[in-house]
Amino acid sequence: MKAIYFERFGKAEDTLILGDEPVADPGKGEVRVKIATSGVNPSDVKKRMGSFPHLLDNGYVIPHSDGAGVIEAVGEGVDPARIGQKVWVYQAQHGRRFGTAAQSVVIDESRAPALPDGASFETGAIYGIPVMTAHRCVFAEGAPFGKTILVTGGAGRVGHYAIQWASRAGARVIATASNPEDETACLEAGAAHVVNHRKPGWSTDVLKATGGEKVDQVVEVEFGANLAEVLDCIRIGGAICTYSSAQDMNPTLPFYRMMFMDLTVRMVIVYEMPEDAKAQAIADIARVEAEPEGGLIHRIAETHELAECAAAHAAVEAGNRRGAVIVKVQEV
């Protein structure tokens, strides 16, 4: 099979190789998926750059955790009726070497849920990291109904879905964005108000939007950089659910202020979500995508062929894409 792999850390154009790799047979409880699309996420880029120094200790790595395709073989204990089923794949390159940037992947069948009816393979390659991360950030602190939730970076990959999950569940959503195009995207996703996070003291605008009421929960894309503003607009007993802090990887916390606010800070990464939270996210994705009034709003910024995987990585690494970057692996 054709696959993208890397044997050393570095720039995408210097390390990503298109080659031929053997097709593996599924073992007990596993399926082999013929991959149609592979999603590229920031974590994939960071792994290639060496964020996990021991990643290559056991040999080359085929990158990417997310993807979609069709089950073409099953292992012992898996219902043979799953052969031919359209599925989406998540966690393909977590704690293991071989991900979805290949014409097939073998994975535990639980990591290959059925693709919702009507969903495209391109959409399937987004469900894993962006959609499930957003789901966890919104629902980890209990039912969102009636809450006021602030979503920073609401036009980003995860933020855009967080707005949708929260608003669909009955929360009032305040989002932040930095330009008119992103503001429109946030409003279309379900935000009640949008404030500009480039404006100094933007937390004041959050409170104006809420009529002075402090927010119950924050879905946070830049924990360290935004913490001071967030503390000015979150209520006592509130929760900050954060999945990134790229601008400040080692933030300093005002411990006593946060302690006397009785705040919860939850770090979210989809790989380590509890299994019941993953199952709930998968069930909710299937339910919402099947709703007659329409499913989630998906945005795809770029699509690249497998041989152009380095360009796909470069697009994600640039950090300014307001939608998913997809690699089209093959027709299935």
Side-chain angles (χ1 to χ4, degrees):
M1 67 174 182
K2 295 293 182 183
I4 294 290
Y5 64 93
F6 61 94
E7 302 172 305
R8 58 189 177 92
F9 300 124
K11 295 181 179 180
E13 64 269 26
D14 296 333
T15 60
L16 294 181
I17 301 167
L18 176 63
D20 291 304
E21 299 297 329
V23 175
D25 292 324
K28 185 176 181 179
E30 295 181 329
V31 296
R32 186 172 72 229
V33 180
K34 186 175 183 180
I35 294 293
T37 55
S38 179
V40 188
N41 289 285
S43 60
D44 302 312
V45 170
K46 293 171 185 175
K47 287 178 183 179
R48 191 208 71 242
M49 291 294 290
S51 62
F52 291 85
H54 298 290
L55 183 63
L56 295 171
D57 284 1
N58 295 317
Y60 67 89
V61 165
I62 296 173
H64 305 173
S65 286
D66 293 351
V70 175
I71 293 177
E72 59 179 359
V74 300
E76 180 186 349
V78 180
D79 187 351
R82 293 206 70 185
I83 295 175
Q85 183 183 43
K86 294 180 179 180
V87 296
W88 55 279
V89 173
Y90 72 102
Q91 286 190 209
Q93 206 273 291
H94 170 60
R96 31 178 279 147
R97 290 166 51 207
F98 302 141
T100 64
Q103 289 181 320
S104 72
V105 67
V106 170
I107 194 165
D108 188 281
E109 71 160 329
S110 67
R111 307 300 186 214
L115 191 69
D117 290 342
S120 68
F121 288 128
E122 287 75 15
T123 297
I126 305 172
Y127 289 144
I129 289 175
V131 179
M132 291 180 75
T133 299
H135 186 278
R136 178 65 171 165
C137 286
V138 169
F139 291 96
E141 303 307 316
F145 184 83
K147 291 182 178 179
T148 298
I149 297 181
L150 171 64
V151 178
T152 65
R157 290 179 180 86
V158 174
H160 192 244
Y161 289 110
I163 293 172
Q164 295 180 69
W165 284 125
S167 61
R168 281 173 173 267
R172 174 176 59 167
V173 179
I174 314 298
T176 76
S178 60
N179 60 69
E181 181 183 357
D182 287 354
E183 179 180 353
T184 298
C186 292
L187 293 170
E188 289 176 346
H193 302 279
V194 183
V195 303
N196 188 341
H197 55 246
R198 302 292 185 197
K199 179 182 175 182
W202 56 260
S203 58
T204 302
D205 290 334
V206 172
L207 295 176
K208 287 179 181 178
T210 64
E213 176 188 344
K214 293 193 172 184
V215 303
D216 300 294
Q217 186 173 330
V218 181
V219 178
E220 181 55 69
V221 65
E222 283 293 349
F223 177 76
N226 289 338
L227 182 59
E229 296 287 350
V230 166
L231 293 180
D232 284 341
C233 64
I234 190 171
R235 69 169 173 83
I236 292 175
I240 304 170
C241 299
T242 180
Y243 57 94
S244 183
S245 188
Q247 293 181 34
D248 184 357
M249 294 295 288
N250 295 287
T252 299
L253 304 185
F255 176 79
Y256 283 107
R257 181 182 181 189
M258 295 176 71
M259 182 178 71
F260 277 94
M261 293 178 71
D262 189 33
L263 293 181
T264 296
V265 178
R266 179 181 292 275
M267 311 292 186
V268 174
I269 187 164
V270 70
Y271 308 130
E272 303 302 339
M273 286 167 51
E275 289 301 318
D276 61 344
K278 293 174 185 176
Q280 189 60 59
I282 291 166
D284 285 349
I285 288 167
R287 174 183 55 79
V288 167
E289 292 288 65
E291 289 180 353
E293 62 270 26
L296 297 167
I297 301 169
H298 304 288
R299 297 179 302 158
I300 297 175
E302 297 184 17
T303 301
H304 297 265
E305 298 297 322
L306 186 63
E308 303 166 351
C309 195
H313 274 233
V316 173
E317 199 166 354
N320 59 355
R321 300 293 173 180
R322 293 307 184 215
V325 175
I326 305 295
V327 172
K328 184 178 179 181
V329 177
Q330 63 189 325
E331 297 290 340
V332 300

